[in-house]
Amino acid sequence: MLEFITMFRVMGLVLMVTQGCLAANQKHVDEQCRFTRYSTLCVDTMTGLGSENQKPDILSALINKTILETQLPTSYFTKFTTDLHVDEAQHVNSITGYCEGLLSMSLKRLDQSLLALKNSRNKNKHDIQTWISAALTYQQACKDSADSHNFSNGDLMRQISQKMDYLSQLGSNTLALVNRIPSELTHFTKSRRLAEADRVFPEWLSAKDRKLLQVPAVKANAVVAKDGSGNYKTISEAINAASGGRFVIYVKAGVYKEKIRTNKNGITLVGDGKYSTIIVGSDSVNGGSSMPGSATFTVTGDGFIARDIGFQNTAGPQGEQALALYVASDHSVFYRCSIAGYQDTLYALSLRQFYRECDIYGTVDFIFGNAAAVFQSCTLALRRPSGYNVILASGRSDPGQNTGFSVQNCRIVPSSDFSPVKHSFESYLGRPWKQYSRAVVMESTIDNAIASRGWVEWPGEGGYSKSLYFAEYANVGPGAGTSGRVTWPGFHVMGRDEAAKFTVDRFIAGNFWLPSTGVTFISGLQ
């Protein structure tokens, strides 16, 4: 009898300890999930995880759950075309195919994030923030595509849209907790001009490649020439020949009428000048293409570099949305390039991008997307619109994303065709494509083609004025005055300390990865 009582007491004690540990684990989950936007989903995701001996790793669990839910079987999308008319089925296929590609890109970034989290969450914080921000961007892009089309069976696109909402909520919770990780990334405390002998190269760039980028002569892996004097006559053929690692393609002067899509890492294109070597396309939404499908050049492989080359879409203003360039390349660089179109010229979709001494032309939302992109010493040229001009349209859809557009030391001017009539149209620095849109213009010269209010609402979304972040700092020129700017809660005239957050160093961690393109660039403020 005494042995039975003793055993009963021990069992009771073990049960109490177990219950106490589980209660402590639940408290830990509840406390962490309070910092997320979708706390109930966060807690539900963690239900049953952890043990009496160990607190659950909430971040790893959330990423793993997001990966699991993103891994959709092929049958998930094929079911949407069942019982549809042939024409409608083809249209649905184009959307589901686009979404499949986006979810594949999302999975890639989630897998990278999970690995980086395991290796060193503190050291890799900026990478993890960037990659999960990109995963959210791809989910939103799929949702936008589904929401923008009407079919006889409205449930089809609604199911995709709701699935993307769910994935976005999972990703948002993960990102909210990643943003709370203490960072080991250090920044330069003052403005630093990186000169010839003081350039920072990424770890993946070999000494041979660094030497290549430091000298004017091009030592290419492949040469493209229309006249047959190179290895290839088309850029597409040269890119297809890339076998991995850094692959440099020298493209001789000429107009190359090609539609190029590449997902290869490490591609470098070097031309004979931004107006001498030009890649040209003319696809447009009005001509039957999808918005992303209209792009003349699409790159989704990482580490892409373009120098002295032009990207154009010649569909004209009647083409509506017509992309010249679509970029979803982490650590991508565009140096001395021209990017020309009208509406939606440059789709800077995602990840970390740097543009230096580029000429970018357009009318409506001609720099748009949800990348973390810095435009430095560029010319942003307004063309003659059919309605009004808008330069920046940031698609930041979650307050935790480390994305946005930073325009520094640039010239905002009318193009030659627009200059004589610039006061007959309204032109704006930007508008909020999504609720948490973020864009700053600093240390730049602004022509008086820009309306005194500076910024404009997205049609039907006046409420975004509280959640967006638009700001200016130390601009000059006849259009730079801020006294007449919008009075939205989300608009700011920044001080120096705030502006420093949007520099190459602070915003895209450029001093730790930005390869040399033979140019002196500014790390901080001027």
Side-chain angles (χ1 to χ4, degrees), residues 25-50 56 58 61-62 65 166 169-170 173-174 177:
N25 286 352
Q26 187 61 49
K27 182 181 179 182
H28 172 64
V29 168
D30 291 342
E31 288 175 347
Q32 291 300 305
C33 286
R34 280 193 303 108
F35 297 105
T36 66
R37 297 180 70 202
Y38 308 98
S39 56
T40 301
L41 176 61
C42 177
V43 172
D44 290 346
T45 304
M46 297 304 301
T47 299
L49 299 179
I58 297 178
L62 289 176
K65 176 65 172 177
Y166 175 59
Q169 290 172 12
L170 287 172
N173 285 346
T174 306
L177 297 186

Side-chain angles (χ1 to χ4, degrees), residues 224-499:
V224 178
K226 291 177 69 69
D227 62 6
S229 60
N231 308 104
Y232 305 96
K233 288 188 176 182
T234 69
I235 299 166
S236 299
E237 290 174 316
I239 291 175
N240 289 338
S243 55
R246 177 58 52 187
F247 193 84
V248 180
I249 302 169
Y250 168 47
V251 187
K252 291 187 177 182
V255 176
Y256 295 83
K257 295 182 179 180
E258 299 186 51
K259 189 179 184 71
I260 299 170
R261 296 179 182 176
T262 179
N263 61 1
K264 292 187 175 183
N265 296 336
I267 298 293
T268 293
L269 294 182
V270 180
D272 278 328
K274 67 176 79 171
Y275 298 110
S276 297
T277 300
I278 306 172
I279 306 170
V280 176
S282 59
D283 287 351
S284 68
V285 168
N286 198 33
S289 293
S290 65
M291 180 272 285
S294 69
T296 299
F297 192 99
T298 298
V299 56
T300 58
D302 290 343
F304 179 78
I305 301 173
R307 192 183 93 189
D308 296 318
I309 199 163
F311 305 87
Q312 291 186 9
N313 188 309
T314 59
Q318 69 278 5
E320 299 177 359
Q321 295 169 297
L323 281 58
L325 184 60
Y326 174 122
V327 185
S329 170
D330 203 12
H331 296 169
S332 53
V333 177
F334 295 82
Y335 173 45
R336 295 194 310 230
C337 292
S338 64
I339 307 165
Y342 282 83
Q343 182 176 350
D344 294 357
T345 302
L346 169 59
Y347 193 7
L349 175 60
S350 59
L351 303 162
R352 291 162 287 201
Q353 306 180 16
F354 180 65
Y355 298 78
R356 172 80 188 197
E357 294 176 37
C358 291
D359 299 341
I360 307 173
Y361 298 82
T363 54
V364 182
D365 306 331
F366 66 90
I367 298 174
F368 76 112
N370 197 24
V374 175
F375 300 85
Q376 197 174 86
S377 302
C378 293
T379 297
L380 311 183
L382 302 157
R383 304 182 94 164
R384 183 169 181 158
S386 55
Y388 59 84
N389 283 323
V390 181
I391 301 172
L392 307 168
S394 161
R396 185 168 174 256
S397 59
D398 188 277
Q401 289 177 309
N402 64 346
T403 57
F405 296 140
S406 175
V407 174
Q408 182 188 19
N409 192 35
C410 291
R411 295 171 59 247
I412 296 173
V413 297
S415 62
S416 58
D417 68 319
F418 183 52
S419 186
V421 294
K422 65 181 182 181
H423 294 303
S424 300
F425 299 87
E426 295 293 317
S427 296
Y428 304 99
L429 296 173
R431 61 177 180 171
W433 181 22
K434 299 297 179 184
Q435 185 174 359
Y436 300 96
S437 183
R438 182 160 62 178
V440 303
V441 179
M442 55 191 191
E443 300 180 328
S444 295
T445 302
I446 304 176
D447 186 88
N448 62 4
I450 296 296
S452 60
R453 73 194 311 263
W455 309 80
V456 68
E457 300 87 349
W458 191 269
E461 300 294 351
Y464 287 1
S465 64
K466 296 179 181 179
S467 53
L468 60 79
Y469 186 95
F470 289 164
E472 298 178 52
Y473 169 74
N475 296 313
V476 297
T482 56
S483 61
R485 290 295 195 249
V486 292
T487 56
W488 303 338
F491 173 73
H492 309 271
V493 177
M494 297 182 291
R496 189 174 181 84
D497 289 346
E498 181 71 8

Side-chain angles (χ1 to χ4, degrees), residues 69 72 136-137 171 194-195 232 248 269 337 367 483 511 519 525:
E69 293 293 337
L72 300 175
L136 283 169
T137 299
L194 298 182
Y232 305 96
V248 180
L269 294 182
C337 292
I367 298 174
S483 61
N511 290 328
V519 62
L525 295 171

Side-chain angles (χ1 to χ4, degrees), residues 14-166:
V14 169
L15 181 61
M16 288 174 61
V17 170
T18 300
Q19 289 176 334
C21 290
L22 292 176
N25 286 352
Q26 187 61 49
K27 182 181 179 182
H28 172 64
V29 168
D30 291 342
E31 288 175 347
Q32 291 300 305
C33 286
R34 280 193 303 108
F35 297 105
T36 66
R37 297 180 70 202
Y38 308 98
S39 56
T40 301
L41 176 61
C42 177
V43 172
D44 290 346
T45 304
M46 297 304 301
T47 299
L49 299 179
S51 67
E52 64 269 20
N53 299 319
Q54 188 175 11
K55 288 183 179 179
D57 183 342
I58 297 178
L59 266 179
S60 293
L62 289 176
I63 295 179
N64 274 313
K65 176 65 172 177
T66 310
I67 290 172
L68 179 65
E69 293 293 337
T70 305
Q71 291 172 327
L72 300 175
T74 304
S75 58
Y76 178 85
F77 288 107
T78 57
K79 69 182 180 183
F80 291 110
T81 56
T82 305
D83 300 326
L84 288 179
H85 186 272
V86 174
D87 291 342
E88 198 168 58
Q90 288 178 342
H91 201 173
V92 171
N93 275 331
S94 70
I95 296 170
T96 56
Y98 179 52
C99 282
E100 281 189 276
L102 288 167
L103 290 187
S104 177
M105 291 161 64
S106 181
L107 273 173
K108 174 183 176 180
R109 301 307 173 180
L110 290 168
D111 287 338
Q112 284 179 308
S113 299
L114 187 60
L115 182 60
L117 190 71
K118 291 177 179 178
N119 289 340
S120 175
R121 61 182 61 195
N122 299 84
K123 182 180 178 181
N124 297 324
K125 177 182 177 181
H126 194 268
D127 285 337
I128 300 169
Q129 287 175 309
T130 299
W131 295 331
I132 295 178
S133 292
L136 283 169
T137 299
Y138 304 142
Q139 293 153 6
Q140 182 64 49
C142 173
K143 175 181 167 63
D144 287 346
S145 183
D147 288 346
S148 64
H149 294 87
N150 294 315
F151 296 101
S152 56
N153 186 345
D155 286 339
L156 299 180
M157 295 299 103
R158 194 176 304 115
Q159 287 180 51
I160 294 178
S161 181
Q162 289 172 349
K163 179 66 174 181
M164 294 308 110
D165 282 339
Y166 175 59

